[in-house]
Each structure stands twice: as C-alpha cells, then as structure tokens.
Amino acid sequence: MEPHLGPEAAALRHGWPALLLWVSVLSCSFSLPASSPPSLVPQVRTSYNFGRTFLGLDKCNACIGTSICKKFFKEEIRSDNRLASHLGLPPDFLLSYPANYSDDSKIWRPVEILRLVSKYQNEVSDRRICASASAPKTCSIERVLRKTERFQKWLQAKRLTPDLVQIFPGAEGWPLPKYLGSCGRFIVSTSTRPLQEFYDAPPDQVADLAYQLLGVLESLRSNDLNYFFYFTHIDADMFGVFNNGHLFIRDASAVGVIDKQEGSQEATGAGENKDIFSCLVSGCQAQLPSCDSISEKQSLVLVCQKLLPRLLQGRFPSPVQDDINSALAQCGDATRPDPEALGAASQLKDILRPLRTCDSRFAYRYPDCKYNDKF
C-alpha cells in the first residue's frame, strides 16, 4: 500500500512551481504501541535510541520516498558505535549523526543520519505555520498546510520531483551518497568522513581530494542533462570521503538546481508565492534569487575561498606551491569574469593532476590509474 502523503511529501512529489529545486524537510508517519502501565515489578524493556519525538514524527504525518522508520524502531539503526540500544538518545542539536545499519542484526555497516535543516530552524518553521493559522504554539502542521492555495495547486500538478538525492542518484554518476530512506525529519545515507578530517593528510592525498572537488563542481556546472547546480554557501561539512578515497557531497541542503533547458525564468517571492511556504524560516521579507543572478563561477569562488586553501596552502615545494596559490587567488576572486575564474580552475586541475599518486589508498581509481592516465 502506498504510504500516506502529507504536505511536504506531496509538495515534493508534485513539484515546485519555480526553477529552483531545493531539498525539503522529510517526514514520515509511524504508529507506536501504547506504553505499558506502570508496575512495581521490574521489567526488562528494549529501548531504541531514536524516538518518535526525536525523529519529528509527532510534528507531521507525511512520508516521502523510501520509509526507513521500521528500521529505527526494530533497532536495526543504532547511533552508538558499540551497537548498544540502552544508551539513550543522542544530542538533538546536531545536523548529522554517525550510526550503524543492519539487515540481520549480525552484520552492521556505517551510515549517516542527516537533518536537512537544524532543529532550531524546524522549530521556527513550526511556530510560523501555527501562527499563520492563529493557532496556539502547537497545532496540526499538516492540517494548516493542506488549506493553503499553493498546496492545493501541488495536488493537481503532474510533475514528479522527489528529493535531490533520489533525483540524481550516485549509481548514475552524480556525486551524492546512496540514499537509503527517510523517517521523520531525517534521511539516512551511506557514511562518509568529513572533508576537514583530511586537512593534515599527505600531500598526494590532499592533491587528489582537491582535484576531485574541482571535478565535482565541473560536473555540477556542465552535464548531459543540462542542469546547473550551485551552492548557496560552502563549508567542509558539506563534503565527505568514502573509504575508497572517493569524494562526494554529503550534505545537499545548500544546493540549488536550475534547469537550463527550460530557459532562465525569474523566480521571485512576490504575489501568490508569498504564503506560509515562503515564510517558514526566514520570514516573508526574504526574496528568492533570480535564476539569472546565479553566476557560473558562484560555487567555484566559494570553494577556492574557503576549502581549497585549507587543503593546499603550504603543502608543496616551490615553484609548484606558488603556481597553486596564484590559481587559487584567481578562481577565488569574485570580481573576475566567469571565464577567467573557470580558466583558473582548469589551470589548477592541470597542476594537481601529476601531484596525485596511483596506489591502493585511492581504491576508487586503482588499479585503473595504472593503465589509463584519465584516472
């Protein structure tokens, strides 16, 4: 039976009316058995370490994509590395949680549990939804959103637009981790190590990661499907590295998508779009950017300013380091025209390519790099 679709899920299923597609908050319903009556006799009770309230199932009755709720409540997803179920809930203010996932409770593999927005942002949006209906501090989020004109239009739409990690799966070459499912306000995906853990890695490894990062931006900017992906902001937590050395986007919540094939239409926050959906976190004063205002170099400038210097500066002998620093300065200069910034990035890739080594530490391209200089 198809799961019930609440407002957030249906909005994603039926598509956003603008060209800017964003990862949205996911929520999924799940019924729990009634708690046992209190007893003076000590009882042995299994306690899972991801509860209904923690997951956000008490906020919205909605579901999108693959529901993974049963995995949580069967204790086949556990947050502690020791796989103990009695240690209680993890802190609720984090954006991501390392966890373990099992299909048989015998073999466990690492996964990552991600919030798509912070707990604080969720609380702000919940309050705004209730306030829009002149409701008290707590209300039925779904009931309020269902009454809006925009939601009714989404119900009539025929376009399918699920969340980003499902539209562009890693199995098809997109630089996103494998999506395993969603529950409440969380998604579960394959596990990666954050990029900042590699700031002090050996020079050949940082050269490899920097080279991959530039390649990821290039594929997001130019691809066969004619989509243009861009970052609204950048930090090292947004990128992760698998055990085989392959770099991926681990947090796509700050990624926007423009369908270049549809033309460059302008998305504004005016008129009918200025409803509670537009005002969940930042308020109705915030205006959506025009697609035309997003430059091709936007993501590249952010990466060259904030991430690549931490990886590359002071890691190589002169004159190679001087060439790297010069290319970084050019591609991180927001005042330069797009072609100059993109040219500097291409030059930087050419510098980094021979600094990488071909050995088993880089399993994602080994042993192919022995026989093909493409790797």
Side-chain angles (χ1 to χ4, degrees), residues 107-369:
I107 299 174
W108 296 83
R109 55 193 173 104
V111 294
E112 194 152 20
I113 301 170
L114 299 165
R115 294 181 186 270
L116 295 182
V117 296
S118 70
K119 183 174 183 290
Y120 170 76
Q121 288 175 308
N122 274 328
E123 291 170 349
V124 170
S125 67
D126 290 344
R127 289 196 297 268
R128 289 185 181 276
I129 290 171
C130 292
S132 74
S134 301
K137 291 183 178 179
T138 58
C139 66
S140 170
I141 306 295
E142 179 180 7
R143 190 174 298 117
V144 174
L145 296 182
R146 274 186 174 277
K147 294 179 180 178
T148 64
E149 181 181 355
R150 189 188 296 202
F151 181 83
Q152 295 302 319
K153 287 184 177 180
W154 281 335
L155 288 180
Q156 299 169 12
K158 297 180 179 179
R159 196 158 55 113
L160 175 65
T161 311
D163 74 288
L164 195 64
V165 293
Q166 294 184 83
I167 303 173
F168 307 105
E172 295 181 5
W174 297 101
L176 294 164
K178 182 179 180 181
Y179 168 84
L180 299 174
S182 63
C183 183
R185 289 174 165 175
F186 290 85
I187 64 169
V188 181
S189 64
T190 47
S191 180
T192 60
R193 290 175 60 192
L195 182 62
Q196 65 262 37
E197 291 187 11
F198 296 87
Y199 283 160
D200 295 323
D204 62 337
Q205 191 168 19
V206 297
D208 185 83
L209 292 173
Y211 185 89
Q212 286 190 73
L213 186 50
L214 291 169
V216 164
L217 297 186
E218 189 175 328
S219 68
L220 296 182
R221 188 179 68 251
S222 177
N223 50 75
D224 292 340
L225 295 182
N226 217 15
Y227 286 112
F228 172 57
F229 299 77
Y230 63 94
F231 286 89
T232 58
H233 64 275
I234 287 281
D235 63 61
D237 281 335
M238 294 178 178
F239 298 91
V241 183
F242 287 127
N243 290 336
N244 65 358
H246 208 171
L247 181 140
F248 277 74
I249 299 170
R250 67 194 292 260
D251 176 5
S253 60
V255 176
V257 187
I258 297 175
D259 185 351
K260 293 192 291 186
Q261 190 167 330
E262 295 294 328
S264 55
Q265 302 174 13
E266 184 170 323
T268 68
E272 64 178 359
N273 289 337
K274 189 175 284 187
D275 57 18
I276 186 58
F277 283 93
S278 321
C279 314
L280 294 185
V281 176
S282 58
C284 287
Q285 293 76 20
Q287 299 289 314
L288 291 174
S290 161
C291 293
D292 291 331
S293 70
I294 309 298
S295 67
E296 281 197 79
K297 69 175 184 294
Q298 175 162 312
S299 298
L300 182 63
V301 169
L302 292 172
V303 165
C304 288
Q305 288 178 347
K306 299 185 177 183
L307 298 189
L308 291 182
R310 295 292 303 272
L311 280 171
L312 298 175
Q313 283 184 349
R315 307 307 302 275
F316 305 95
S318 295
V320 173
Q321 187 67 59
D322 297 333
D323 293 338
I324 289 174
N325 293 344
S326 175
L328 280 176
Q330 293 179 58
C331 71
D333 185 351
T335 65
R336 289 181 177 271
D338 284 7
E340 289 187 19
L342 298 177
S346 178
Q347 180 186 0
L348 183 56
K349 282 189 70 179
D350 290 340
I351 298 170
L352 293 172
R353 175 185 286 274
L355 300 178
R356 308 179 307 155
T357 56
C358 181
D359 62 55
S360 57
R361 286 182 300 146
F362 310 104
Y364 79 96
R365 58 182 176 90
Y366 182 87
D368 304 284
C369 53

